Amino acid sequence: MPRRGVARVLVASTVLSLLPAGSAAARDGAPDPAPGPAAPARQSPGELRERVRREVSPAESRGLGPEHAEAQARTRLAMRDEADLPDAARAARLKALTESQARANAGFRPAVYGAFTEYFDSPDFGAHTALLPTGKVLLFSFEHTGTGRAFLWDPARGTGAGSFTKVTPPTTAPFFRTGHSLLPSGRLGVFGGTAGSGLSLVFDPWTETWTREQETATTRRAAFPGRPGPLWGTRAPAVERFPVLGHTVAAAGPSYAPAAGRPGDNTVLLPDGTLLTASGAYDIHDYAGGLLSPAPDLRYRQLELRDTRGGWRLGPVQRLPRGHHAGALVLPDGRVVVTGDELQQTAHDADLRDDMNGTIEIYEPAYLYQGPRPALDEVPAAPLAPGDRFLVRTGTPDRVRRAVLLAPAGAPQAAGAGVRGRAELRIERREGGLLTLQAPPASAAAAPGHHMLFLLDAKGVPSVARWIRLT
């Protein structure tokens, strides 16, 4: 694709409601950011205001309101400036992040802190992500033409371009500020979109096709009310403060405030019951260095690890800082996927001429460095009702100590009683390689739909999960 065409796609690839006016400088108490290639030359406030005025169309201003439309225009201009830089400048930025990640992570032992193991290109920014009951990951976002785009990544096929399949939706599908939730059938419902929309689409993981459903009566442009399984962010009521700015970690209860230093983060619940927080920024796409922050404060790239008693410690550093539109999810093999933040992915893209303009990072938790996994060889194919007893087969019965259900990211979650998408199952009987387990007694403990079943050993090492369906 010609450079000019690629730049247009990347510059205006989403109708973004991202940034407040202006950009922020480094924050009090934060160390100097890691050295790296300079950002595009700054413009005077007057020059920027004039560029923004010319960029905003009357239709955009009417549809979104002047303030929101101007914010999107500022972002598009920033993306355009990035696209005008030579590829060598972005390649140098990525090289600086890669080197700083290696230096920072040299002191973290994988058996204690886990490790980042892979970083690879993706054909989509991953503004929205969902783990499907087939084990594949759906990544979807919104292009400048109003056309939605979507890709399936199959982890079983590795990390190259051949592991992705394009699955284009049947309509313009404004995949921005879109809500999505796994339905009890295992299909993914996608609702709403930018500027308010009654759009309703369903993706079938088994046929890998989209269907358009009847529009919702109420337009939506924020998250669908069904919160996403074990994936949440700083909107959840019990997420603790990240100590990036020296704040004390709260013991429990509502504690989020932007001053806590890490809005836009993603926290995932792991099979062993621990929590992992990735990504986040000071203010959307500001990592203590202003818009795009090509030399971000290292602390905004650092994982936070919480144990089952509520204690926390800082962990390894991810390669890219990721804020607004970042995402994270747990794969059936227990690894964690980190992706999202189209602005940062563009600012560190070493080749804007190809079609792989997104990136994915893989983190392996410490439990994957604690020895061999227990085996989970067979689970029921039929759906299970609440309280059902069922058999599973394992080739390592003497090592199995626990059985855990984990809802996939994208699944619905009850909004009360501390439900977080994970349930411990009772092991009622052992007969050789057969274990008798009991399903949760009510949907309040595990919502209807598909869940990953893990068997864990005494160290918390999980098996590779198999899927079961609850009614």
Side-chain angles (χ1 to χ4, degrees):
M1 182 184 294
R3 165 59 67 91
R4 185 169 56 185
V6 173
R8 283 200 300 268
V9 171
L10 291 171
V11 167
S13 61
T14 53
V15 179
L16 304 170
S17 59
L18 300 180
L19 297 172
S23 60
R27 311 298 175 184
D28 292 340
D32 293 336
R42 293 186 180 274
Q43 306 155 55
S44 71
E47 290 173 329
L48 180 57
R49 282 194 298 270
E50 180 59 22
R51 288 186 72 196
V52 169
R53 186 190 66 78
R54 293 196 303 267
E55 179 72 17
V56 176
S57 70
E60 186 178 25
S61 186
R62 287 193 303 270
L64 301 177
E67 183 177 357
H68 196 170
E70 289 178 8
Q72 294 185 56
R74 282 191 296 271
T75 302
R76 291 197 299 270
L77 291 171
M79 294 281 281
R80 189 172 302 152
D81 291 340
E82 288 295 322
D84 286 341
L85 286 177
D87 284 342
R90 285 181 301 277
R93 287 178 180 171
L94 181 60
K95 181 175 183 290
L97 290 186
T98 303
E99 292 172 347
S100 65
Q101 180 191 37
R103 290 193 300 269
N105 290 346
F108 288 100
R109 290 187 293 134
V112 178
Y113 297 96
F116 280 96
T117 57
E118 295 183 84
Y119 177 94
F120 55 96
D121 290 338
S122 163
D124 192 84
F125 293 128
H128 300 280
T129 58
L131 176 63
L132 305 175
T134 58
K136 298 180 181 180
V137 177
L138 184 68
L139 304 103
F140 53 108
S141 54
F142 176 88
E143 294 181 350
H144 73 292
T145 59
T147 302
R149 65 180 187 184
F151 293 84
L152 278 173
W153 173 49
D154 184 358
R157 297 174 63 184
T159 60
S163 64
F164 294 91
T165 302
K166 191 171 186 177
V167 283
T168 303
T171 182
T172 55
F175 289 151
F176 174 67
R177 302 191 74 178
T178 297
H180 62 275
S181 185
L182 275 182
L183 306 176
S185 65
R187 300 188 302 163
L188 184 76
V190 179
F191 308 92
T194 192
S197 170
L199 181 70
S200 178
L201 294 174
V202 171
F203 183 77
D204 188 314
W206 295 279
T207 64
E208 298 184 352
T209 57
W210 293 90
T211 57
R212 186 168 185 173
E213 306 294 334
Q214 182 178 349
E215 290 197 1
T216 59
T218 303
T219 60
R220 303 182 184 278
R221 65 173 190 179
F224 190 60
R227 294 176 184 169
L231 172 67
W232 62 87
T234 47
R235 295 174 301 280
V239 172
E240 299 152 338
R241 295 184 181 186
F242 181 69
V244 66
L245 297 181
H247 289 267
T248 302
V249 176
S255 62
Y256 164 69
R262 201 171 185 174
D265 67 291
N266 301 109
T267 297
V268 294
L269 182 56
L270 300 178
D272 63 353
T274 60
L275 297 174
L276 178 146
T277 298
S279 304
Y282 183 87
D283 186 4
I284 304 181
H285 287 284
D286 180 351
Y287 305 88
L291 176 63
L292 293 180
S293 299
D297 187 316
L298 192 68
R299 290 175 293 185
Y300 290 99
R301 297 157 56 195
Q302 193 163 17
L303 299 183
E304 181 183 0
L305 310 174
R306 296 183 181 89
D307 61 30
T308 55
R309 297 178 300 278
W312 63 269
R313 62 178 182 266
L314 297 180
V317 169
Q318 59 197 66
R319 187 164 306 179
L320 236 61
R322 301 177 190 266
H324 203 54
H325 292 167
L329 54 83
V330 181
L331 293 174
D333 61 12
R335 297 180 299 163
V336 177
V337 173
V338 179
T339 189
D341 191 331
E342 59 269 48
L343 284 168
Q344 281 293 329
Q345 290 175 85
T346 298
H348 297 91
D349 190 343
D351 186 0
L352 293 183
R353 293 165 293 185
D354 63 18
D355 293 327
M356 305 292 279
N357 48 39
T359 58
I360 292 174
E361 301 182 52
I362 300 295
Y363 168 76
E364 295 184 352
Y367 52 58
L368 295 180
Y369 296 87
Q370 300 294 326
R373 298 174 181 265
L376 176 55
D377 302 318
E378 188 177 347
V379 300
L384 301 171
D388 274 359
R389 290 169 174 80
F390 62 98
L391 294 176
V392 301
R393 187 179 300 276
T394 173
T396 57
D398 295 339
R399 295 186 52 222
V400 175
R401 294 294 179 269
R402 299 155 63 194
V404 170
L405 287 185
L406 192 66
Q413 175 190 335
V419 176
R420 292 186 173 184
R422 180 181 178 276
E424 294 264 357
L425 302 187
R426 182 181 302 170
I427 302 177
E428 295 203 336
R429 189 174 181 181
R430 299 172 183 262
E431 288 184 280
L434 292 178
L435 305 179
T436 301
L437 308 180
Q438 184 176 15
S443 60
H450 289 76
H451 296 254
M452 294 181 283
L453 174 63
F454 293 91
L455 299 181
L456 283 75
D457 69 10
K459 296 180 179 179
V461 179
S463 66
V464 174
R466 290 186 177 269
W467 294 90
I468 66 170
R469 182 181 173 190
L470 303 179
T471 61

